[in-house]
Amino acid sequence: MRKFELIAPCHFGMEAVLKREITDLGYDITEVADGRVTFFGDEEALCRANIYLRTAERILIKIGSFHAETFEELFQRTRSLPWEEYIPADGKFWVAKAASVKSKLFSPSDIQSIMKKAMVEKLKECYGISWFREEGESFPIRVFLMKDQVTVGLDSTGESLHKRGYRKLTAKAPIAENLAAALILLTPWNKDRILVDPFCGSGTFPIEAAMMAAGIAPGMSRRFTAESWEHIVGKKKWYDAVDEAREQMDLSVDPDIQGYDIDDAMVNIARENAKLAGVDKLIHFQRRGIDQMSHSKKYGFLITNPPYGERLQDKKEMPELYRTIGERYRALDSWSMYLISSYENAEQDIGRKADKNRKIYNGMMKTYYYQFLGPKPPKAGKAVERHE
């Protein structure tokens, strides 16, 4: 079976979560860098990584890496890579994205153009043809330059992995599905504990949590670019990976997952998205403002993405909103709260310094994931002893 070195890009700050996911799938990590994790795997791993990983953005087959400080070096070293092992004579190929950090070559468009020319020259030589019609399957390339080290990957995913297929309707500023999943995985929450999102918007946090509770693989209902690359990975590998994912689903679970929003329209959108994800029966959505946030149960989790006040007209509302969040959280007995926000006075207005916080880039926006930790619930045995 063919072996690959696979690259999984992710949100900056989420590398440790993704690393744990890949290790849990049974694969060996070779490198962890800012915004990506690299690991070894075979054809089956390529399929399973695309279908199972909740926090990755895509899965790339590493074609090679090299040092380049000039465009001539970039051309010659790109040309020397084994493109013929991946791209057939009729393949449609292009450099879909180039990113450069602290490198002498920094123009993405020039990097893309020169690498494409180098690939054409190499494949002309390999296939003995002078013109590529590019009418076959798609082979998008992605390249990262970091301190003049160039890493080249073939994108097996296509549309980003955060597009699970269930979110047809969204809020004004929805959180990406893979980032929401990563933030949940950073908490001790499990399907036996209560989870409430009081600013649920289009329902991403509750839906991702419900998919975890039911063991639903995030990519099992979507398509991937590499499904048509039969010379690289056979169709049966994809079928087997999806069958494995189906066998692991358990829709009989009964988690306590709730989503609230002050906007009726958003609550309806969240319900529709949950239905598309197949988890509508596992979540309770309700119209409720943060000022009405209360719960009779103990040891629950608030996990949420409240407004940041990015728009000028909203800024004046932020202090009161975050003060209300703090008041309602303090009224919850023994709960934990996990909140992502770019609002600079979040802790001050909540009225408590977070026990932990983590800097995370949500797109190009710097945010902080504030973690307010409640007590752990007593173990069942100890609770029984006290009762007796």
Side-chain angles (χ1 to χ4, degrees), residues 7 20 25 28 34 82 86 126 156 201 222 230 251 258 266 270 281 298 306 335 340 355 359 374:
I7 304 169
R20 187 170 74 232
L25 276 181
D28 294 328
D34 285 346
Y86 301 95
C126 292
S156 73
R222 54 158 287 173
E230 293 192 53
L251 293 174
Q258 301 173 28
M266 289 316 309
K281 292 181 171 58
K298 299 176 69 162
W335 280 50
I340 182 170
D355 298 289
K359 183 164 64 176

Side-chain angles (χ1 to χ4, degrees), residues 184 189 193-210 255-272 274 279-290 292-295 301-305 335:
I184 295 169
W189 177 81
R193 306 277 295 274
I194 312 154
L195 186 152
V196 176
D197 179 359
F199 298 93
C200 74
S202 51
T204 310
F205 274 125
I207 291 169
E208 289 294 320
D256 192 345
I257 300 171
Q258 301 173 28
Y260 306 148
D261 202 280
I262 200 167
D263 185 343
D264 263 327
M266 289 316 309
V267 172
N268 290 332
I269 284 171
R271 286 187 181 126
E272 185 60 29
V279 294
D280 49 312
K281 292 181 171 58
L282 306 181
I283 308 169
H284 173 68
F285 288 109
Q286 182 181 342
R287 183 189 177 281
R288 186 189 290 195
I290 185 62
Q292 299 173 295
M293 177 67 219
S294 63
H295 207 291
F301 288 80
L302 289 181
I303 304 179
T304 194
N305 175 37
W335 280 50

Side-chain angles (χ1 to χ4, degrees), residues 68-84:
E69 297 183 23
T70 67
F71 284 121
E72 179 62 21
E73 286 180 310
L74 180 68
F75 180 90
Q76 294 299 342
R77 285 169 187 168
T78 299
R79 191 176 185 277
S80 70
L81 295 174
W83 295 109
E84 71 282 3

Side-chain angles (χ1 to χ4, degrees), residues 86 99 108 121-122 157 162 191 289 362 370:
Y86 301 95
E121 289 304 309
K122 175 63 176 283
T157 302
H162 82 266
K191 66 178 184 290
N362 186 3
Y370 297 103

